[in-house]
Amino acid sequence: MELHSVLVECNNNNDIYTNSGLQFSQYVLINSNVLTSYLQEHSFNKWFNDIAPGIMHIYPFSSVNEPKLRIVARDADKTSVRSARVVACFICNNILVSSQKYLKDWAVDCDGNQRRETLSLFFILKAASVVQQQTSNDEKKDLNKALNELLIISTSPQFLSIGQEVYIESTPFGNRAFLNSYSQGVVSNIFGEQNSLLLTDCSSTPGSEGSPVYIKTRWKQKFIFAIVISCLNWWKGEWVGLTLAANLVPLLRELIPPCYQNINVLKSNPTFANEELQLLATLTKSVVQIVSGSLWGTGILLNKTKGIFITNSHVIQPHTEVFVYWRTLEIKATVLHRTPDFEPFDLAILKANPRDLEKLDISSSVLSTEAAQRGDQIYAVGYPLFPRNLMVRPSITRGCVSLVQEYVVKTTATVLPGSSGGAIFNDNGKLIAITVSNTKMEDVGVVYPRINLAVPILAILEYLQLFLQTGDTKILSRLHSSDLSVRQQWDFVSGKL
């Protein structure tokens, strides 16, 4: 089965709405974005509530008043435009439940709960000339066969790794001139019911919804595993800067009747395995979630034998208990030292009982003794966006070092609320900096998650090593600096996580 990214256009009252789509066999799979305006004019709320989740509905619109659609495809240098018709629609129950549970603090593309719910709504299109030759039953049979074939070649999320390289083929802004544009990044996190949702730091824009997401390998074969469902997302009013996608295998398994399902049998594919993935698997083993009262952030294990963690001072709520979370385990910690919030270097040192860590698959981070260089590839690891009760794994985003100063490292990795105290690793897996904040323009209230600030390990390495060797907590007072040169490097921008 050949897979292609296409552009879908909807003419609604002479206004053109667009987004991308995944062409498989003779069909095109899209999410609901391009039809939003049409649906709002046709009693959308009632129509949506009448659709039973997890069931494919054939020919959901009457031919009298159906949406006017076109499929725009490009093969080599040739562009084709065909009229299309909606042959089926369905609501993915896994995504519907997940959006209500995991995305309740999110706004997706626009404000309002209804928009969030429609992340679970999908449509399947077909060229209009071909549809006219099919009965409803024949269409359903052909569609189930095609969907089953798509299921067989799709990669299950259980075989993906956080941090794995992926790419998107899309049509940014729905502009025909941008058809089949390429964007690459990494899998930032996989979550939701049956791992139905995914976040990636691949760059995307409005119009990219519905585009296919592939695993990046050295082979020409395409390994598809997801489609984009939202490009613009906000968490509690702050721009997320990540792309939200739906994993295809849980979506299709929910939809296809058992009599058609040839279960996806991919067990393990050495094509996906490489040294970088092995490295990324180790990065999350030294990063934990920190919860203090109503606050949460990220912490880094400095010494497993002594139970020492480091995080940001502003993550610790005064006069409350502090807990370290590793996977599903809760470990109580004590605060050995914390600097004043948002003053250099905004750090706190925590101690857990080493016995609580002995049997855990957790490891001390390796501190870099070399200065970061501008342009170095880095990985940011932390626990952004999802509070503890959701039990989501740590997230990884990739970027580069954009600025190096004696007391500040700036990177382009996506850093978000909850990442405070998180780790910045180089591509050798060594800790080069501790995340403090992203940046914000106070006058307009705009946050830039890909412009962020971190404390370079070299600036505090001497004090950390001396403390770990001696256990003398008085040494930790040196983590707070009143030096004018330090403050000048940190006071130029407002940021908070």
Side-chain angles (χ1 to χ4, degrees):
M1 172 182 282
E2 291 190 4
L3 303 174
H4 301 282
S5 177
V6 298
L7 171 64
V8 176
E9 300 174 340
C10 177
N11 185 333
N12 188 44
N13 297 324
N14 293 322
D15 290 324
I16 305 299
Y17 300 87
T18 60
N19 67 219
S20 304
L22 166 63
Q23 182 175 329
F24 64 104
S25 184
Q26 56 186 328
Y27 299 98
V28 173
L29 174 64
I30 63 171
N31 73 332
S32 62
N33 262 36
V34 72
L35 290 169
T36 297
S37 178
Y38 169 86
L39 293 171
Q40 288 174 343
E41 291 186 3
H42 294 81
S43 304
F44 168 74
N45 288 340
K46 182 180 184 305
W47 181 86
F48 183 85
N49 292 331
D50 287 343
I51 298 177
I55 298 175
M56 187 161 59
H57 301 265
I58 301 296
Y59 299 149
F61 304 119
S62 68
S63 57
V64 176
N65 198 27
E66 63 183 347
K68 300 175 182 178
L69 298 165
R70 293 190 295 263
I71 299 171
V72 183
R74 180 175 296 160
D75 184 9
D77 295 328
K78 183 179 180 182
T79 300
S80 63
V81 181
R82 296 174 295 165
S83 296
R85 184 180 180 190
V86 175
V87 296
C89 73
F90 63 92
I91 294 173
C92 177
N93 192 58
N94 283 326
I95 296 178
L96 181 63
V97 173
S98 298
S99 65
Q100 296 165 346
K101 179 179 178 180
Y102 292 86
L103 305 179
K104 66 178 183 179
D105 293 322
W106 292 49
V108 183
D109 283 341
C110 59
D111 291 331
N113 293 331
Q114 185 62 57
R115 181 64 195 91
R116 210 164 45 239
E117 291 177 359
T118 59
L119 292 173
S120 61
L121 178 60
F122 297 86
F123 295 91
I124 299 175
L125 316 181
K126 191 177 181 182
S129 58
V130 180
V131 173
Q132 295 171 359
Q133 303 172 13
Q134 292 278 75
T135 66
S136 178
N137 287 335
D138 288 340
E139 191 71 74
K140 191 170 186 176
K141 290 178 183 179
D142 288 349
L143 183 52
N144 277 327
K145 290 177 182 178
L147 289 171
N148 185 63
E149 189 175 348
L150 179 60
L151 170 64
I152 293 172
I153 65 173
S154 298
T155 301
S156 174
Q158 64 182 304
F159 304 122
L160 296 174
S161 300
I162 294 176
Q164 191 154 20
E165 281 195 301
V166 296
Y167 67 96
I168 295 173
E169 290 182 347
S170 66
T171 307
F173 305 111
N175 189 320
R176 292 188 185 186
F178 299 151
L179 189 61
N180 289 341
S181 294
Y182 177 95
S183 172
Q184 70 178 35
V186 300
V187 175
S188 296
N189 216 319
I190 302 169
F191 63 100
E193 303 298 309
Q194 303 297 318
N195 287 326
S196 55
L197 294 174
L198 170 141
L199 286 170
T200 172
D201 62 2
C202 286
S203 177
S204 65
T205 69
S208 298
E209 300 88 356
S211 57
V213 188
Y214 301 98
I215 297 173
K216 186 179 179 182
T217 70
R218 60 186 178 181
W219 310 103
K220 291 184 178 181
Q221 181 181 352
K222 290 183 175 181
F223 295 93
I224 191 169
F225 68 95
I227 68 166
V228 173
I229 57 176
S230 181
C231 302
L232 293 178
N233 310 294
W234 290 263
W235 183 84
K236 294 187 175 181
E238 183 169 320
W239 179 43
V240 171
L242 297 175
T243 297
L244 182 66
N247 284 314
L248 281 174
V249 168
L251 184 152
L252 294 172
R253 283 182 175 166
E254 179 184 315
L255 180 65
I256 303 171
C259 59
Y260 283 88
Q261 273 194 36
N262 183 343
I263 297 299
N264 181 288
V265 294
L266 180 62
K267 300 297 181 186
S268 179
N269 196 324
T271 303
F272 305 154
N274 55 47
E275 292 181 0
E276 184 179 25
L277 284 182
Q278 294 173 6
L279 169 66
L280 292 172
T282 67
L283 299 187
T284 59
K285 290 186 177 182
S286 61
V287 179
V288 297
Q289 190 169 32
I290 306 293
V291 176
S292 175
S294 61
L295 305 178
W296 94 83
T298 304
I300 306 164
L301 180 60
L302 295 179
N303 189 297
K304 183 176 181 179
T305 303
K306 298 183 178 182
I308 303 298
F309 295 85
I310 191 168
T311 185
N312 283 156
S313 177
H314 71 263
V315 170
I316 306 303
Q317 186 170 319
H319 313 300
T320 61
E321 292 185 311
V322 178
F323 294 94
V324 171
Y325 289 93
W326 170 253
R327 305 297 187 254
T328 59
L329 186 67
E330 177 184 273
I331 303 168
K332 190 172 182 178
T334 57
V335 180
L336 297 182
H337 182 82
R338 63 186 296 260
T339 64
D341 290 355
F342 301 109
E343 289 194 23
F345 289 101
D346 192 11
L347 296 173
I349 301 296
L350 312 179
K351 181 177 177 60
N353 189 334
R355 292 182 179 178
D356 293 335
L357 308 179
E358 286 178 353
K359 297 182 179 180
L360 302 183
D361 186 23
I362 189 172
S363 56
S364 305
S365 58
V366 179
L367 307 186
S368 176
T369 58
E370 298 180 0
Q373 301 296 318
R374 191 175 66 166
D376 286 351
Q377 179 172 280
I378 56 91
Y379 297 93
V381 184
Y383 284 85
L385 304 177
F386 302 105
R388 179 61 202 167
N389 63 298
L390 295 177
M391 298 289 211
V392 174
R393 291 171 286 182
S395 296
I396 294 179
T397 57
R398 188 174 64 180
C400 70
V401 175
S402 60
L403 179 69
V404 180
Q405 295 177 288
E406 187 175 2
Y407 305 111
V408 176
V409 169
K410 186 160 75 72
T411 85
T412 63
T414 302
V415 165
L416 298 159
S419 298
S420 292
I424 304 292
F425 293 105
N426 62 20
D427 56 9
N428 292 320
K430 294 183 178 180
L431 183 68
I432 64 167
I434 301 167
T435 300
V436 175
S437 71
N438 51 30
T439 56
K440 180 179 181 179
M441 293 183 64
E442 290 288 1
D443 54 341
V444 293
V446 177
V447 174
Y448 295 91
R450 297 197 186 202
I451 303 176
N452 50 79
L453 307 175
V455 177
I457 283 297
L458 284 186
I460 57 174
L461 182 61
E462 178 185 353
Y463 312 136
L464 291 180
Q465 289 179 334
L466 189 57
F467 163 69
L468 292 173
Q469 290 169 6
T470 66
D472 185 358
T473 57
K474 294 180 181 178
I475 298 170
L476 298 177
S477 63
R478 301 180 190 177
L479 297 178
H480 178 227
S481 178
S482 299
D483 188 281
L484 180 60
S485 61
V486 177
R487 290 180 174 273
Q488 284 177 337
Q489 291 185 19
W490 278 98
D491 286 347
F492 71 94
V493 71
S494 171
K496 185 176 180 181
L497 292 177

